[in-house]
Amino acid sequence: MQVFEDWNQKVKKTFNATNPEVVLTVTEAGSMLGLSKDQMKVYVDKNKLTKVPIMRSVHRYLLLKSEIDRIVQEQ
């Protein structure tokens, strides 16, 4: 039986394997800050965080782990 892997997780794994900058999905970043996925999307836009675009989708993006870590430390 084939195990399901979330598409965002596949993209994240590929990006992290080929780039020195570590990224998180919106859901992962939101959970670090205690926010839902939708709340995190608003937070990203409001605070002008860096969005790492995903080529196949206009609405999907990854976030830099370093920025999220800095925000968590400041709280």
Side-chain angles (χ1 to χ4, degrees):
M1 188 167 103
Q2 188 174 8
V3 177
F4 172 76
E5 184 177 11
D6 181 75
W7 191 80
N8 289 334
Q9 290 295 330
K10 286 181 184 179
V11 172
K12 176 187 152 191
K13 187 189 311 181
T14 302
F15 184 90
N16 284 339
T18 59
N19 194 300
E21 186 70 50
V22 178
V23 292
L24 299 170
T25 65
V26 174
T27 303
E28 290 172 329
S31 68
M32 290 179 70
L33 298 173
L35 302 172
S36 70
K37 182 178 179 179
D38 291 335
Q39 290 170 325
M40 188 62 197
K41 286 182 176 185
V42 172
Y43 185 89
V44 167
D45 291 335
K46 181 179 176 185
N47 293 288
K48 297 180 174 59
L49 297 181
T50 304
K51 295 178 182 179
V52 179
I54 296 174
M55 293 299 188
R56 290 180 16 181
S57 177
V58 175
H59 303 291
R60 291 182 183 211
Y61 52 87
L62 299 169
L63 300 170
L64 299 178
K65 184 177 185 303
S66 57
E67 286 185 343
I68 304 303
D69 288 343
R70 185 172 27 88
I71 293 166
V72 169
Q73 287 178 346
E74 291 173 359
Q75 290 183 345

